[in-house]
Amino acid sequence: MATRVNARRLLAGAAATGLLASGAALGMTGVAAATPAPSPTPSVTAPGHHGHHDRCEWKKGHWEKKWVPGHWVKKWVHQDSWRHGHHHHGWVMKWVYVPGHWDHVWVKGHWDCRHHHPVH
């Protein structure tokens, strides 16, 4: 029974400590906002650590070839027909198969942050 009471006290103490610590952290945000920002100095990273941000590069917008597989498209086509003894020509909406082909698409500029390994 004494063990349960001690465990409860320990849990209650840990919870109170956590609440006090989080309250202090919230109080410090106001203090941090009131203090002036440190002077801009270059940050030094550990020699063994390399962040992925130093490997990001800007890829300019460019045209790129892209393979478009064959597909069906509903589009207007000019069609000649013979109706009731008369020649008719006009535009009709039909399903048309477009075979696979290369197309040029515009790729917008973007940051490329893939893990590029330097070539030695």
PDB file of all heavy atoms in Angstrom, residues 26-40:
ATOM      1  N   LEU A  26       6.845  29.005 -21.483  1.00  0.00           N
ATOM      2  CA  LEU A  26       5.926  29.966 -22.074  1.00  0.00           C
ATOM      3  C   LEU A  26       6.255  31.377 -21.617  1.00  0.00           C
ATOM      4  O   LEU A  26       6.191  32.323 -22.388  1.00  0.00           O
ATOM      5  CB  LEU A  26       4.478  29.630 -21.712  1.00  0.00           C
ATOM      6  CG  LEU A  26       3.878  28.423 -22.436  1.00  0.00           C
ATOM      7  CD1 LEU A  26       2.495  28.120 -21.862  1.00  0.00           C
ATOM      8  CD2 LEU A  26       3.789  28.693 -23.916  1.00  0.00           C
ATOM      9  N   GLY A  27       6.644  31.524 -20.350  1.00  0.00           N
ATOM     10  CA  GLY A  27       7.041  32.828 -19.833  1.00  0.00           C
ATOM     11  C   GLY A  27       8.299  33.330 -20.507  1.00  0.00           C
ATOM     12  O   GLY A  27       8.476  34.523 -20.735  1.00  0.00           O
ATOM     13  N   MET A  28       9.192  32.435 -20.860  1.00  0.00           N
ATOM     14  CA  MET A  28      10.448  32.829 -21.492  1.00  0.00           C
ATOM     15  C   MET A  28      10.232  33.305 -22.919  1.00  0.00           C
ATOM     16  O   MET A  28      11.046  34.060 -23.432  1.00  0.00           O
ATOM     17  CB  MET A  28      11.441  31.662 -21.492  1.00  0.00           C
ATOM     18  CG  MET A  28      11.957  31.300 -20.114  1.00  0.00           C
ATOM     19  SD  MET A  28      12.788  32.671 -19.321  1.00  0.00           S
ATOM     20  CE  MET A  28      14.282  32.715 -20.280  1.00  0.00           C
ATOM     21  N   THR A  29       9.139  32.882 -23.570  1.00  0.00           N
ATOM     22  CA  THR A  29       8.922  33.340 -24.940  1.00  0.00           C
ATOM     23  C   THR A  29       8.697  34.838 -24.970  1.00  0.00           C
ATOM     24  O   THR A  29       9.156  35.520 -25.855  1.00  0.00           O
ATOM     25  CB  THR A  29       7.718  32.619 -25.583  1.00  0.00           C
ATOM     26  OG1 THR A  29       6.561  32.861 -24.794  1.00  0.00           O
ATOM     27  CG2 THR A  29       7.985  31.147 -25.740  1.00  0.00           C
ATOM     28  N   GLY A  30       8.015  35.378 -23.966  1.00  0.00           N
ATOM     29  CA  GLY A  30       7.832  36.822 -23.886  1.00  0.00           C
ATOM     30  C   GLY A  30       9.146  37.524 -23.615  1.00  0.00           C
ATOM     31  O   GLY A  30       9.430  38.578 -24.169  1.00  0.00           O
ATOM     32  N   VAL A  31       9.979  36.933 -22.764  1.00  0.00           N
ATOM     33  CA  VAL A  31      11.277  37.525 -22.457  1.00  0.00           C
ATOM     34  C   VAL A  31      12.167  37.477 -23.685  1.00  0.00           C
ATOM     35  O   VAL A  31      12.866  38.426 -24.002  1.00  0.00           O
ATOM     36  CB  VAL A  31      11.934  36.771 -21.272  1.00  0.00           C
ATOM     37  CG1 VAL A  31      13.351  37.245 -21.054  1.00  0.00           C
ATOM     38  CG2 VAL A  31      11.104  36.955 -20.020  1.00  0.00           C
ATOM     39  N   ALA A  32      12.110  36.359 -24.404  1.00  0.00           N
ATOM     40  CA  ALA A  32      12.947  36.228 -25.594  1.00  0.00           C
ATOM     41  C   ALA A  32      12.537  37.236 -26.656  1.00  0.00           C
ATOM     42  O   ALA A  32      13.376  37.753 -27.380  1.00  0.00           O
ATOM     43  CB  ALA A  32      12.852  34.810 -26.150  1.00  0.00           C
ATOM     44  N   ALA A  33      11.256  37.530 -26.732  1.00  0.00           N
ATOM     45  CA  ALA A  33      10.798  38.486 -27.730  1.00  0.00           C
ATOM     46  C   ALA A  33      11.230  39.903 -27.363  1.00  0.00           C
ATOM     47  O   ALA A  33      11.440  40.744 -28.228  1.00  0.00           O
ATOM     48  CB  ALA A  33       9.289  38.418 -27.868  1.00  0.00           C
ATOM     49  N   ALA A  34      11.395  40.171 -26.055  1.00  0.00           N
ATOM     50  CA  ALA A  34      11.765  41.504 -25.606  1.00  0.00           C
ATOM     51  C   ALA A  34      13.263  41.753 -25.715  1.00  0.00           C
ATOM     52  O   ALA A  34      13.700  42.887 -25.766  1.00  0.00           O
ATOM     53  CB  ALA A  34      11.307  41.713 -24.162  1.00  0.00           C
ATOM     54  N   THR A  35      14.063  40.715 -25.726  1.00  0.00           N
ATOM     55  CA  THR A  35      15.509  40.894 -25.797  1.00  0.00           C
ATOM     56  C   THR A  35      15.921  41.109 -27.242  1.00  0.00           C
ATOM     57  O   THR A  35      15.306  40.579 -28.155  1.00  0.00           O
ATOM     58  CB  THR A  35      16.249  39.664 -25.234  1.00  0.00           C
ATOM     59  OG1 THR A  35      15.851  38.524 -25.977  1.00  0.00           O
ATOM     60  CG2 THR A  35      15.948  39.467 -23.766  1.00  0.00           C
ATOM     61  N   PRO A  36      16.986  41.891 -27.458  1.00  0.00           N
ATOM     62  CA  PRO A  36      17.427  42.117 -28.833  1.00  0.00           C
ATOM     63  C   PRO A  36      17.981  40.837 -29.445  1.00  0.00           C
ATOM     64  O   PRO A  36      18.523  39.983 -28.757  1.00  0.00           O
ATOM     65  CB  PRO A  36      18.509  43.184 -28.700  1.00  0.00           C
ATOM     66  CG  PRO A  36      18.973  43.086 -27.290  1.00  0.00           C
ATOM     67  CD  PRO A  36      17.799  42.604 -26.487  1.00  0.00           C
ATOM     68  N   ALA A  37      17.866  40.722 -30.738  1.00  0.00           N
ATOM     69  CA  ALA A  37      18.365  39.549 -31.454  1.00  0.00           C
ATOM     70  C   ALA A  37      19.882  39.561 -31.440  1.00  0.00           C
ATOM     71  O   ALA A  37      20.504  40.621 -31.457  1.00  0.00           O
ATOM     72  CB  ALA A  37      17.857  39.554 -32.887  1.00  0.00           C
ATOM     73  N   PRO A  38      20.510  38.395 -31.389  1.00  0.00           N
ATOM     74  CA  PRO A  38      21.971  38.358 -31.405  1.00  0.00           C
ATOM     75  C   PRO A  38      22.507  38.864 -32.738  1.00  0.00           C
ATOM     76  O   PRO A  38      21.831  38.834 -33.751  1.00  0.00           O
ATOM     77  CB  PRO A  38      22.296  36.877 -31.198  1.00  0.00           C
ATOM     78  CG  PRO A  38      21.079  36.154 -31.621  1.00  0.00           C
ATOM     79  CD  PRO A  38      19.921  37.081 -31.342  1.00  0.00           C
ATOM     80  N   SER A  39      23.739  39.329 -32.702  1.00  0.00           N
ATOM     81  CA  SER A  39      24.331  39.848 -33.935  1.00  0.00           C
ATOM     82  C   SER A  39      24.498  38.719 -34.939  1.00  0.00           C
ATOM     83  O   SER A  39      24.772  37.583 -34.569  1.00  0.00           O
ATOM     84  CB  SER A  39      25.686  40.483 -33.636  1.00  0.00           C
ATOM     85  OG  SER A  39      26.566  39.483 -33.156  1.00  0.00           O
ATOM     86  N   PRO A  40      24.319  39.012 -36.221  1.00  0.00           N
ATOM     87  CA  PRO A  40      24.427  37.951 -37.232  1.00  0.00           C
ATOM     88  C   PRO A  40      25.873  37.501 -37.404  1.00  0.00           C
ATOM     89  O   PRO A  40      26.702  38.226 -37.912  1.00  0.00           O
ATOM     90  CB  PRO A  40      23.886  38.596 -38.497  1.00  0.00           C
ATOM     91  CG  PRO A  40      24.058  40.053 -38.296  1.00  0.00           C
ATOM     92  CD  PRO A  40      23.996  40.295 -36.820  1.00  0.00           C
TER      93      PRO A  40
END
